[in-house]
Amino acid sequence: MTDAATLAQEFWWRMGTNQWGLAAGLFAGNIEIIWPQSGEVIGSADDFVAINENYPSHGKWSFKVKRVIGAGGHAITETEVSDGTAKAFVVSIFECADDRIVRITEYWPEPFAAPEWRRQWVTTRAE
């Protein structure tokens, strides 16, 4: 049985091909992709493919996995996503069973400048 961390890494590798159906090939038939910040739920591989095919972009998408944590049926990834112009960071929670991805919950936070008031206690990291 393939663990969730391995499936998550394979998912992001497939996303990097920009062949959305290839990535969706890892999904269970009852896939749920949840975006809590907007309240949206993607409930099928076909809808996942259609969203990615129609997403406005400035070029080919790239996906750089920064970290993968997990074993067994659960994994968490931190991934940098870019179309060559825009850059975003996504935290994804993968739930897997029977060598398939059953659910992905994704958080797409907006970057923000560090507040001046805490500058004395922190350093900033260039990504």
Side-chain angles (χ1 to χ4, degrees):
M1 180 178 266
T2 307
D3 74 356
T6 302
L7 284 171
Q9 288 175 314
E10 177 67 13
F11 171 79
W12 288 119
W13 180 86
R14 290 182 182 200
M15 288 293 287
T17 69
N18 283 235
Q19 297 178 42
W20 316 121
L22 185 63
L26 295 171
F27 296 164
N30 60 339
I31 185 68
E32 280 189 322
I33 301 169
I34 303 165
W35 293 338
Q37 291 159 295
S38 65
E40 296 169 283
V41 177
I42 303 166
S44 74
D46 289 342
D47 289 342
F48 170 83
V49 170
I51 287 169
N52 282 283
E53 285 177 345
N54 291 285
Y55 196 93
S57 69
H58 291 75
K60 185 177 176 182
W61 290 100
S62 65
F63 303 87
K64 183 177 180 183
V65 177
K66 299 286 200 168
R67 182 165 44 165
V68 179
I69 300 169
H74 297 86
I76 299 169
T77 62
E78 292 178 333
T79 306
E80 180 182 303
V81 179
S82 179
D83 67 353
T85 301
K87 183 169 36 171
F89 294 93
V90 59
V91 176
S92 305
I93 303 166
F94 290 81
E95 297 175 50
C96 304
D98 300 323
D99 294 330
R100 294 281 173 223
I101 298 170
V102 176
R103 180 177 295 115
I104 306 172
T105 304
E106 292 189 321
Y107 296 90
W108 294 83
E110 292 290 327
F112 60 92
E116 190 64 35
W117 68 266
R118 61 182 181 225
R119 178 179 227 139
Q120 66 183 342
W121 301 296
V122 301
T123 60
T124 55
R125 176 185 266 184
E127 293 293 331

